[in-house]
Amino acid sequence: MIKLLSPAQNQCVLGKNQREEVNVMRKYEIMYIINPTVLEEGREETINQVNALLTSNGATITKTEKWGERKLAYPIDKKKSGFYVLTTFEIDGTKLAEVEAKVNIMESVMRYIVVRQD
């Protein structure tokens, strides 16, 4: 029997009406900006919280890069700088919405973006 992957639904097509669920792990990057008023210990705690959130949702973290404090292109909440962090990870795309929802309500994270790598 030949299994064909249906990219729209992340499912294998087995036959006419049979489907088997497949968890496709894809590579993503999340870049987030930590509020500059957060101290060094708080930054480490925020980075650990984001990493723990990712791993609790089944992600495998490849690397985390701290880019440091940089000037923002435009003010966010009257702040002109922020601490940038880039994390590369692999996760099933269906779990990504839950991760984004929880990062969105973190007070120490000013902005974030998740991008799928090719």
Side-chain angles (χ1 to χ4, degrees):
M1 179 185 314
I2 298 174
K3 293 183 180 183
L4 301 173
L5 184 63
S6 173
Q9 299 174 359
N10 286 343
Q11 296 177 343
C12 282
V13 179
L14 296 176
K16 195 169 188 179
N17 293 323
Q18 301 171 339
R19 292 184 184 235
E20 178 183 323
E21 188 67 29
V22 175
N23 292 332
V24 179
M25 298 291 278
R26 300 196 179 201
K27 292 184 179 184
Y28 292 91
E29 288 181 334
I30 182 170
M31 160 99 37
Y32 52 99
I33 306 171
I34 300 174
N35 194 323
T37 60
V38 176
L39 299 176
E40 183 65 34
E41 300 83 28
R43 288 180 190 156
E44 290 298 324
E45 183 180 331
T46 301
I47 293 168
N48 291 336
Q49 285 175 353
V50 172
N51 289 346
L53 176 64
L54 289 168
T55 54
S56 68
N57 282 291
T60 55
I61 297 173
T62 308
K63 65 180 174 179
T64 300
E65 297 178 30
K66 298 175 196 171
W67 286 12
E69 194 161 333
R70 295 178 176 223
K71 185 178 180 226
L72 300 174
Y74 56 90
I76 300 174
D77 297 330
K78 299 182 181 178
K79 308 280 190 306
K80 295 185 178 184
S81 66
F83 191 85
Y84 284 70
V85 180
L86 176 69
T87 300
T88 307
F89 60 97
E90 291 183 20
I91 192 170
D92 178 22
T94 58
K95 308 241 177 155
L96 201 54
E98 183 178 339
V99 171
E100 288 190 55
K102 291 185 178 178
V103 172
N104 197 25
I105 60 173
M106 290 181 153
E107 291 183 18
S108 57
V109 176
M110 295 170 38
R111 291 283 191 276
Y112 73 93
I113 188 168
V114 178
V115 179
R116 190 174 111 193
Q117 290 182 327
D118 292 332

